[in-house]
Amino acid sequence: MQALDPALSHVVGDTSQPLLEETIGAMLRRIASTWPQRPALAVPAQGVRMTWREFDDEVTRLAAGLLALGLEPGDRIGIWSLNRAEWVLVQFATARAGLILVNINPAYRSHELEYALNAVECKALVLARAFKASDYLRMLRELAPELDALDASTPGELHAAKLPALRQVIVLGDEPARGCLRFGDIARDDADALARVDAVQARIDPHDPINIQFTSGTTGSPKGATLTHRNILNNGWFVGECMRLDEHDRLCIPVPFYHCFGMVLGNMACVTHGACMVVPGEGFDPLLTLQAVQAERCTALHGVPTMFIAILEHPRFGEFDLSTLRTGIMAGAPCPIEVMKHVIAQMHMDEVTIAYGMTETSPVSFQTTPDDPVERRVDSVGRIHPHLEVRIADQEGRTVPRGETGELLTRGYSVMRGYWGDPKRTAEVLVDGWMHTGDLATVDADGYCRIVGRLKDMLIRGGENVYPREIEEFLFTHPAVAEVQVFGVPDEKFGEEVCAWVRLSDGSQCTDDDLRAFCQGRIAHYKIPRYIEFVDAFPMTITGKAQKFLMREEMARRLARRGDQVRLGDDQ
């Protein structure tokens, strides 16, 4: 490779440690052979505990059963469930059987489920019966009433008008469901079935697709990012290396499996290092997480910042012994420095790391290390991962000088194959091997990357580019502010105006004028929010990301009701 100009925002990761050129199934067998008796999976709520040998054997039996249903390598099989032991088994069994696992968001409802299953032509679906108010089986029956016409002797013969590719429905739990197979009845351990698994696994290539994850569809319909064995296996490996995981670690994983955070940064990081996967509950619950960390003597914990805030603020936080913790990953949203300090001081996570990535890059491309000072773990997302290349480009595609803002472009082993069945939208983001992330970023002289915001989130006020994240980070330094989200709203004079939604710390008092006074003379006048709303919570995705488009829509409605055309103060 031609030497890079150090004055430009173009960085390349270390290549001294080779990539893993094996399939997920082969890797799991290698780990099970290395540490057969060490713990692999613990799900206290389900009473599930498995060693690596037990886990590997169960994965093989499940893979054999899936193939025996008539599924063929390359077929798509959906999973619609929160975090359970079965999810982890399905993740690795599909990899061993050469099937492509399709992650379906548990927050989806019938319309979204129909879209996802048909977009990738899922031939089978594994689903939870229900969780809290979500009746998954009922929603599926609304789409496929033909299930009711099937009896115990005919599961696997589904022909639904709205779901033409779907043939098999596998329901979790012990209760039978008409037209469905029970998950517990799928596994096979006869010699012929096991031999077929071995034969299939021998033909699988690391470059074969293994997973489809739908990106959030805030603009247009969701896109199915298609990832390979090589993509997610290596990303999980290097994430775990950065955390310094080994076979003695026990990682608590309250983040969702349907998302890369759970299945790659969690499960895959553990499996590639022989570390134990600890699942505290189906959905995030701060108390269950605290209980799992203490009871299972966890050494690592993953979460988005809002999860860590909820844990720290839980009224029973002080009852739990978290002294076994040392590391973990905080990702998915900016981490306020005060939260990071509390996580280190009160949760003993001295080696907690920050990671950045996106589904289309498997996902991580930047990560801090345990040796990075706290300040670098909050003002940046670390330095580039091994075997990856990133540059920051302007609107003309030119690499910008160090420290300047532009769009972050990534290429290397982690970049997806494309969006399933959608070459047009694939071509919009993948150009000459570069994944155009849509994220605005800077890279400094030491190679640390800072995410400034999203291209789509950036607002233009009176001709000035305004980056919401910069304002959020500043407002968070106010002692009364617990959380803040900044976004643009339409304005007749300036095109857009700055709006901030603020959640105050418990017991704190603050007015909008107080916050504006706090900003005066400390940030540019055009960055000072014109509109400030105090809220108790923000609309969030299931993975803990703020949904600014919903805030923007709600704020527009509020301003319309007020007939707000009054300027709050003169511009300078």
Side-chain angles (χ1 to χ4, degrees), residues 104-181:
I104 299 175
N105 190 330
Y108 276 7
R109 293 301 177 254
S110 56
H111 174 74
E112 297 152 315
L113 174 67
E114 179 181 5
Y115 172 83
L117 293 176
N118 288 335
V120 299
E121 298 179 302
C122 275
K123 195 171 179 179
L125 174 66
V126 178
L127 78 159
R129 185 178 294 270
F131 180 75
K132 294 185 177 178
S134 299
D135 190 334
Y136 299 119
L137 194 54
R138 178 188 59 78
M139 285 186 272
L140 179 63
R141 289 191 187 282
E142 289 176 1
L143 288 176
E146 295 89 345
L147 276 172
D148 293 328
L150 301 177
D151 59 32
S153 65
T154 56
E157 298 181 14
L158 177 64
H159 294 273
K162 290 186 176 181
L163 304 172
L166 190 63
R167 294 291 176 268
Q168 307 275 3
V169 176
I170 301 166
V171 66
L172 304 182
D174 297 326
E175 290 183 44
R178 190 170 184 83
C180 304
L181 295 162

Side-chain angles (χ1 to χ4, degrees), residues 259 261 303-305 329-335 354-357 541 543-546:
H259 188 274
F261 202 166
V304 298
I329 293 176
M330 200 183 305
C335 173
I354 298 291
Y356 159 81
T541 68
T543 55
K545 291 185 178 180

Side-chain angles (χ1 to χ4, degrees), residues 255-269:
V255 292
F257 290 153
Y258 89 87
H259 188 274
C260 269
F261 202 166
M263 71 167 288
V264 181
L265 282 70
N267 297 345
M268 200 62 67

Side-chain angles (χ1 to χ4, degrees), residues 472-489:
E472 290 164 357
E473 291 176 350
F474 172 75
L475 288 174
F476 193 80
T477 64
H478 190 287
V481 174
E483 292 183 87
V484 59
Q485 298 292 334
V486 172
F487 51 92
V489 292

